[in-house]
Amino acid sequence: MYDCSPFHFRECYIDYWLWATVPGLFLLVGVVGNTLNIIILSRNRIRKFSTSVYLMFLAVSDMLFMFSSCLIETVYETTGKRLEDTSNFMCKTSHWIAHTSAGFSVWLLVLLTIERVLLTKWPYVAKARLSSRNALKASLVTAVMCALFPVHYFFGFEIRLVINHLNQTRYTCQPLTGAYRLFDQYPWKVMVLVVLNIIPMCVITAGNLTILATIVKQKRQLRRVAPNTAMGTSVAQKRQKSSTRMLFILSSFFMVTTLPFTFFRVYKELYPAIGAREYARQRLTETITALLLYCNFTFNFFMYFVSGTLFKQEWRCFTANAYVRLRKAFCGSEPPGNRVSVIEPSRQTLNGQTQAQNGTIRSF
C-alpha cells in the first residue's frame, strides 16, 4: 500500500482509492468487452472483411495491455509490490508486453485509417486489394515491428540485489549497465513519445481530414452532375458509411484518452515537482490521466456497438442464438411460437464494399 505519511495529504488518499477501485472495473469491463468483440467479429458473416481482422487483433492487444500495464500498476499502487521484481521473466517481459501491445493497438488504428482513406479516394482499386488475407499480413508485420521496438528489455534488464538508504536489501528489476539506465531515462521516453504517440496521431488526424475532405468533394460533384438523385444517394451513403463513422469515433476516443497522459508525461519531465504537496498533486494528476488512458483499451465494445451497423446486427444474432441454446438446455425443446428466425442476407458490405439485396444496402 502506498504510504501517505508523514504529511497525509488529501491528494494522496484520493490517489490510492482511485487505484483501489477504478482499475478493477476497467479490467472486468475490458476483458468481457474485448472477449465479446472477438466472438462477434469471428462470426461467419463478418470475419471475412478486412476491418474485422484489424478489430480482432485490436481486441487481443487491448486485453494484453490491460493485464501487462493496468493490472501491474494497480498491484503496485495498492500493495507497494512490483510484479516485475518477482522474477527475471517478469522483469524482462512485463514492460516489453506493455509497450508491444500498446504500440500494436495504436498502429492498428493507423492501418484502419489508411485503409479507409484508400477506400474513400480510390474505391475501385482498393476493393480488389484490401482483402482479409492482406489485412492479416499487414497486421502480422505490424505486430512483429511493434514487438521488436522494445526488445531491449530482454537483454538490458535483470533482477539485481540492491541496498536502500536504510541498509535494507531487496531484489529489484534494474538496467544491466549505466548506458542502459541513461537510455531508459531519456532517449527511450522520447522514442516512445515519437513512435507510439506523435507519428500515429499525425497519420490518424491527416487520414481523417482526408476522408472528410473527400466525402465533401464527392457530394459536391454529385450535386453538380445529378442534382435530382443527390438526395436519394445521400441517404444511401449514410447507410454505407458506418465503417467510416466507427473509425472517426475510435480515432476521436483515442485522441481524447491518450493526449492528456502524453502531454502530462512531457510536462512532468520538464517541470518536476518541488515540495511534498506539489508531488502529491502531480501523482494524482498522473493517476487521472493514466486511468483516462486505460479507457481507450476498455470501452471499444461500446464504440463498435454504437457506430457499427453490421456489428450490431451480428450482436443481435449472437444473443438470439445464445437465448435459443440456453432455452433448449434448460427447457429441453424450443416451443414453435418462440423460435427465433434470423434472416441472413446473402451479401453484406464492409469497408465500402457495398452489395445490394432486395433493394437494401447494408454496411458495417
Side-chain angles (χ1 to χ4, degrees), residues 134-153:
N134 289 335
L136 177 61
K137 293 178 182 178
S139 299
L140 292 177
V141 171
T142 304
V144 171
M145 295 177 64
C146 292
L148 292 176
F149 178 62
V151 75
H152 68 280
Y153 282 109

Side-chain angles (χ1 to χ4, degrees), residues 73 82 95 99 149-150 152-153 157 175 179-200 258 261-272 282 286:
E73 286 296 320
R82 292 188 180 273
H95 291 293
H99 284 87
F149 178 62
H152 68 280
Y153 282 109
F157 288 77
Y180 277 113
R181 186 183 301 276
L182 291 176
F183 173 76
D184 188 64
Q185 286 178 350
Y186 183 73
W188 172 243
K189 293 180 180 179
V190 175
M191 291 172 62
V192 170
L193 177 65
V194 173
V195 177
L196 302 186
N197 291 276
I198 295 178
I199 295 178
T258 304
F261 180 78
T262 303
F263 288 151
F264 181 77
R265 292 294 294 269
V266 175
Y267 172 83
K268 189 177 72 170
E269 293 296 326
L270 295 176
Y271 304 98
Q282 198 172 83
E286 185 174 13

Side-chain angles (χ1 to χ4, degrees), residues 24 27 106 113 135-136 175 189 220 239 262 266 277 287 309 362:
L27 284 167
V106 172
T113 304
L136 177 61
K189 293 180 180 179
R220 290 178 179 176
R239 285 178 160 181
T262 303
V266 175
R277 169 71 74 173
T287 296
T309 303
R362 299 179 183 273

Side-chain angles (χ1 to χ4, degrees), residues 33-88:
N34 285 305
T35 302
L36 289 175
N37 287 339
I38 296 172
I39 294 174
I40 301 302
L41 293 168
S42 60
R43 289 170 63 86
N44 292 332
R45 285 198 302 155
I46 194 173
R47 67 184 178 189
K48 60 185 177 181
F49 301 117
S50 58
T51 297
S52 298
V53 175
Y54 295 129
L55 295 181
M56 279 193 285
F57 276 109
L58 183 62
V60 174
S61 63
D62 285 351
M63 279 198 293
L64 284 176
F65 179 78
M66 291 300 291
F67 282 113
S68 61
S69 179
C70 182
L71 178 60
I72 289 179
E73 286 296 320
T74 302
V75 171
Y76 171 68
E77 294 292 343
T78 55
T79 66
K81 297 180 180 179
R82 292 188 180 273
L83 295 181
E84 60 265 32
D85 295 340
T86 57
S87 66
N88 265 323

Side-chain angles (χ1 to χ4, degrees), residues 80-335:
K81 297 180 180 179
R82 292 188 180 273
L83 295 181
E84 60 265 32
D85 295 340
T86 57
S87 66
N88 265 323
F89 176 79
M90 289 297 297
C91 176
K92 294 178 180 294
T93 59
S94 58
H95 291 293
W96 174 76
I97 295 174
H99 284 87
T100 299
S101 55
F104 190 37
S105 295
V106 172
W107 281 97
L108 282 172
L109 290 179
V110 174
L111 292 178
L112 282 168
T113 304
I114 295 174
E115 179 186 82
R116 202 66 213 166
V117 171
L118 295 176
L119 284 167
T120 305
K121 291 184 69 68
W122 303 283
Y124 297 105
V125 178
K127 287 177 187 178
R129 297 182 178 275
L130 298 178
S131 62
S132 59
R133 179 175 298 181
N134 289 335
L136 177 61
K137 293 178 182 178
S139 299
L140 292 177
V141 171
T142 304
V144 171
M145 295 177 64
C146 292
L148 292 176
F149 178 62
V151 75
H152 68 280
Y153 282 109
F154 276 107
F155 50 83
F157 288 77
E158 71 174 9
I159 294 292
R160 286 189 165 188
L161 185 65
V162 298
I163 303 175
N164 61 17
H165 63 283
L166 299 177
N167 290 327
Q168 297 174 342
T169 60
R170 65 185 181 91
Y171 288 95
T172 181
C173 185
Q174 293 284 334
L176 285 174
T177 63
Y180 277 113
R181 186 183 301 276
L182 291 176
F183 173 76
D184 188 64
Q185 286 178 350
Y186 183 73
W188 172 243
K189 293 180 180 179
V190 175
M191 291 172 62
V192 170
L193 177 65
V194 173
V195 177
L196 302 186
N197 291 276
I198 295 178
I199 295 178
M201 287 181 183
C202 291
V203 175
I204 292 172
T205 303
N208 287 330
L209 292 176
T210 302
I211 293 171
L212 287 174
T214 303
I215 292 174
V216 172
K217 182 179 179 180
Q218 290 174 350
K219 287 183 177 181
R220 290 178 179 176
Q221 291 177 347
L222 183 61
R223 290 193 187 97
R224 288 197 299 266
V225 175
N228 295 329
T229 60
M231 292 297 295
T233 305
S234 63
V235 175
Q237 287 177 347
K238 290 180 180 180
R239 285 178 160 181
Q240 301 172 27
K241 288 181 170 41
S242 66
S243 291
T244 305
R245 182 171 63 249
M246 178 186 292
L247 175 62
F248 286 159
I249 291 177
L250 288 177
S251 301
S252 301
F253 194 61
F254 166 71
M255 297 288 185
V256 170
T257 56
T258 304
L259 284 176
F261 180 78
T262 303
F263 288 151
F264 181 77
R265 292 294 294 269
V266 175
Y267 172 83
K268 189 177 72 170
E269 293 296 326
L270 295 176
Y271 304 98
I274 301 175
R277 169 71 74 173
E278 186 178 352
Y279 177 74
R281 291 174 177 174
Q282 198 172 83
R283 277 182 57 88
L284 178 60
T285 305
E286 185 174 13
T287 296
I288 294 173
T289 56
L291 295 178
L292 186 61
L293 173 69
Y294 293 142
C295 291
N296 180 59
F297 303 88
T298 303
F299 298 108
N300 280 340
F301 173 79
F302 302 100
M303 303 296 106
Y304 302 162
F305 191 83
V306 169
S307 59
T309 303
L310 185 56
F311 184 90
K312 191 183 301 183
Q313 292 173 355
E314 288 298 318
W315 165 254
R316 290 170 179 168
C317 293
F318 170 74
T319 53
N321 292 335
Y323 171 77
V324 171
R325 292 178 181 178
L326 288 175
R327 190 177 182 87
K328 287 182 178 180
F330 288 100
C331 301
S333 61
E334 176 69 15

